[in-house]
Structures are given as C-alpha cells and as structure tokens.
Amino acid sequence: GTDVLIEMMEELGKTRDDIYFLLAGPHVKGTEDTPTELSTRIEKAGQSENFRLLGQVQDIASVFKVSDFFVLPSRAEGFGIVLVESLASGCITIVSNLEGIFDSIITHEQDGFIIKNYDGKEYAKTILKLIDLPDKLDQVRKAGFDRVNKKYSKENLISGFKTLLGKPKRS
C-alpha cells in the first residue's frame, strides 16, 4: 500500500507542511518499493523534506511513541499484530478494509478508522478531519488503547487458548 501512502502524503502536503511521515519496514523482494524507488516517488510527491525511510526497526514501540497516527493501507495481511501494537502505544489507527482482519481488531470511528478503498485522498481527509477535532482524537486514542489492553491482555489470551484446547482429561 505504499502507493496509497504516497498519494496520501501528496494530498496532505497541499494544505499542511507540519506533518511528518515515518515509514518503517523492510524492503520486500519482488516489489518496486526499494528505498531508491520510494525516495524517487516521495520526491516527485514533494514530500522528501517531511519523510523518513526507517527500514526495518527492532523497537517499533519507539516509533509509535513519537507518532500520532498509524496508517496501514495493506492489501493483504495475516492477523495484523502491528495494528494491535500501534493501538497499545496510543496511536490513532487508520487502516484498509481487510474484512475479518482489521475489523476484528477495531471498530470504525470508535477506536480506529477503516477506509473502504485504496484512495490516499480518503486517508488524508480522515487525518485532516481528526487534526481539527482534538477531543475526538483523544476519545478514539483512549478507546483504542483500552480495547486492545482488555481484549489482548495476557489473561484473556490464556483463557481463550484454554477454551480452544478444551479441558485436559484426567486419568
């Protein structure tokens, strides 16, 4: 979804020059998202001053701590653990509409945002709307934090695994 991110950055850059972008993650072989290609596309979008390619990050929590938003316009994901990590760090999450994955973690407009298409302008519009509504930002941030800390607590996960495995039989 880096094409969506670049379109989003370009759109945000039309009205704001105080938004900075951090892209974390390794290069995936077989994609056009090499650091050189991304840098060229970012420069064409006019966002090179406000953008940093971080590469693979060992301590993603440190990136989340300095971030207000986490944007993930993925077209395919497994479970989406990075979404849970971002919510637990207090980031506002804006993700693509991967039914059965992201919508099982967040509820749209309550504790995160699910964009139904791969249009960078929709992601930008959501961010701009939220920047202008600091109370809504705080409400969604808190709801996301509370939800993942309850739903994915150690106790809840262990209980779920025990239920899944059933009670052990005693002889």
Side-chain angles (χ1 to χ4, degrees):
T2 53
D3 58 317
V4 177
L5 291 175
I6 291 172
E7 182 183 13
M8 177 194 75
M9 291 169 25
E10 193 171 31
E11 191 66 21
L12 289 168
K14 291 177 182 177
T15 58
R16 305 288 299 241
D17 63 358
D18 61 342
I19 297 176
Y20 297 89
F21 307 93
L22 304 173
L23 181 61
H27 165 66
V28 179
K29 287 186 178 187
T31 70
E32 62 183 30
D33 294 337
T34 66
T36 304
E37 175 64 24
L38 281 173
S39 295
T40 301
R41 290 164 58 198
I42 291 161
E43 196 170 308
K44 284 181 183 175
Q47 291 297 318
S48 55
E49 292 296 315
N50 294 22
F51 193 87
R52 299 294 174 266
L53 291 171
L54 302 177
Q56 185 157 346
V57 176
Q58 295 303 316
D59 180 18
I60 194 66
S62 65
V63 176
F64 290 141
K65 284 180 186 176
V66 298
S67 302
D68 294 311
F69 296 95
F70 171 70
V71 179
L72 187 61
S74 287
R75 290 182 170 89
E77 283 290 329
F79 167 67
I81 190 71
V82 70
L83 175 55
V84 173
E85 293 169 329
S86 70
L87 289 162
S89 296
C91 285
I92 301 292
T93 60
I94 304 171
V95 298
S96 56
N97 188 29
L98 293 179
E99 291 182 10
I101 300 172
F102 295 153
D103 60 351
S104 71
I105 300 171
I106 64 172
T107 302
H108 180 59
E109 294 188 354
Q110 289 182 23
D111 45 30
F113 296 85
I114 299 173
I115 306 298
K116 295 202 182 294
N117 55 38
Y118 295 98
D119 180 358
K121 291 177 184 177
E122 287 298 315
Y123 286 80
K125 189 166 81 173
T126 300
I127 290 172
L128 291 171
K129 180 175 72 173
L130 289 167
I131 288 172
D132 290 337
L133 300 169
D135 290 343
K136 177 73 171 173
L137 248 170
D138 290 341
Q139 175 189 358
V140 172
R141 182 185 326 273
K142 182 179 179 341
F145 179 83
D146 290 347
R147 180 172 179 159
V148 297
N149 281 292
K150 180 179 178 187
K151 185 174 182 177
Y152 299 104
S153 71
K154 182 170 72 173
E155 295 78 17
N156 279 349
L157 291 175
I158 290 171
S159 173
F161 282 123
K162 285 180 178 177
T163 301
L164 181 67
L165 296 172
K167 292 183 180 182
K169 296 180 182 178
R170 297 185 185 236
S171 33

